[in-house]
Amino acid sequence: MKYLIGNWKMNLTIKESIVLASKITKEIKERTKNLTVAVCPSFVSLSEVSKIIKKSPIILGAQDIFWEETGAFTGEVSARELKETGVQYVIIGHSERRHVIGESDEVVARKMQQALHSGLRPILCVGETLAERNNGVAERVVGHQLRTVFESISELSAKKMLIAYEPVWAIGTGNPCTPDDALSMLVLIRKMIAEKFGDVKIPILYGGSTDDRNVISYAEVGYDGALVGGSSLHARTFLQMKDQLLV
Ligand code: PGA
């Protein structure tokens, strides 16, 4: 099974989200065994997008979640609220949350626990900055990001998660990681999964400046699909990426 997940970030208004969701839904009618397609609009657009994709095989995802179930946490959104809008997947630990908002590996781990506990499928994002890569510590950084989460979840719940390797320097820059470098990280991630959870199968996606021309090269080295930012905002490109991954 391959995955194509669109992360719309903070780019679209509710109206614009409705337009994009409608365009994509028109072209994706059939559920296929080989490919899962999901879109992750901003919180305010979830309900409207949910209505549009309801009868299609497209899955609804959110871009974040809070680590507590309910209570006095002004500005935060809970798993319970998300599920009511039809959300099934949730992106956790995206590099923009780690680096712009300042989320630590520990915060990410708490959010992962909450998502898994609530029955949402988390997409755990990991990835190094350019400075970390240049200093030769990319694998150490990603290793720590993964370990913090792996140590806080059970093997049973690990089965529900997805992992997205997204080098920070490749996100939104038009400068994607080479498939060879992405492969080295894929090998590390697989090794860590095997050491901690044995033969549990966790889908691993690549993210960072993917488009309809390069998405297949990550699948070819063994990635199970892509987490897509900029290219997911253009229906035609996103649909072409879907066609590429379906082949
Ligand atoms: P990008 O973003 O495809 O625009 O590089 C990927 C992401 O942030 O998930």
Side-chain angles (χ1 to χ4, degrees):
M1 169 66 81
K2 295 262 185 301
Y3 297 81
L4 180 67
I5 301 179
N7 174 10
W8 295 354
K9 307 193 180 183
M10 202 181 71
N11 287 306
L12 305 175
T13 64
I14 298 175
K15 279 187 192 149
E16 289 163 347
S17 301
I18 290 172
V19 171
L20 180 57
S22 307
K23 283 186 188 162
I24 297 169
T25 308
K26 232 184 255 162
E27 303 298 326
I28 305 182
K29 298 219 171 76
E30 305 289 320
R31 189 176 302 276
T32 69
K33 276 206 282 276
N34 314 342
L35 181 68
T36 295
V37 178
V39 293
C40 307
S42 66
F43 288 139
V44 292
S45 299
L46 285 170
S47 293
E48 290 301 324
V49 171
S50 182
K51 285 183 214 154
I52 292 166
I53 64 176
K54 203 172 196 145
K55 292 206 173 84
S56 83
I58 301 168
I59 289 177
L60 189 63
Q63 299 174 15
D64 191 28
I65 186 188
F66 193 55
W67 65 74
E68 293 288 349
E69 251 169 60
T70 182
F73 301 103
T74 303
E76 296 294 341
V77 178
S78 71
R80 214 160 59 113
E81 293 167 292
L82 294 178
K83 282 171 71 179
E84 201 174 289
T85 66
V87 164
Q88 296 180 52
Y89 286 16
V90 58
I91 298 171
I92 294 185
H94 189 278
S95 81
E96 284 141 21
R97 297 215 57 89
R98 292 179 188 266
H99 297 287
V100 183
I101 317 288
E103 282 184 10
S104 63
D105 290 354
E106 289 68 29
V107 162
V108 171
R110 290 180 79 178
K111 291 185 170 187
M112 285 293 295
Q113 286 173 314
Q114 179 59 27
L116 290 164
H117 171 77
S118 319
L120 291 171
R121 240 190 131 178
I123 304 153
L124 170 67
C125 299
V126 294
E128 79 288 355
T129 63
L130 187 58
E132 288 162 345
R133 173 155 289 257
N134 289 341
N135 289 333
V137 295
E139 300 213 333
R140 203 191 312 154
V141 169
V142 170
H144 188 268
Q145 291 171 340
L146 286 173
R147 211 166 297 116
T148 316
V149 170
F150 284 2
E151 276 162 12
S152 68
I153 62 172
S154 68
E155 182 179 323
L156 196 66
S157 48
K159 286 185 187 148
K160 313 247 168 62
M161 72 189 279
L162 296 92
I163 294 172
Y165 169 55
E166 298 204 305
V168 180
W169 47 272
I171 296 178
T173 57
N175 176 28
C177 187
T178 64
D180 273 356
D181 284 342
L183 174 60
S184 311
M185 206 54 92
L186 180 64
V187 171
L188 170 84
I189 298 170
R190 280 203 185 126
K191 185 164 153 267
M192 289 187 64
I193 294 171
E195 280 168 9
K196 180 70 184 158
F197 302 116
D199 55 9
V200 167
K201 174 88 185 94
I202 299 177
I204 306 171
L205 319 184
Y206 169 77
S209 295
T210 53
D211 58 26
D212 49 332
R213 284 160 306 171
N214 65 22
V215 70
I216 196 68
S217 54
Y218 301 99
E220 279 167 0
V221 297
Y223 276 90
D224 301 298
L227 178 58
V228 188
S231 297
S232 71
L233 300 173
H234 307 283
R236 183 156 348 131
T237 313
F238 191 65
L239 290 165
Q240 277 165 354
M241 293 176 86
K242 172 207 69 134
D243 292 340
Q244 293 281 318
L245 289 177
L246 261 180
V247 184

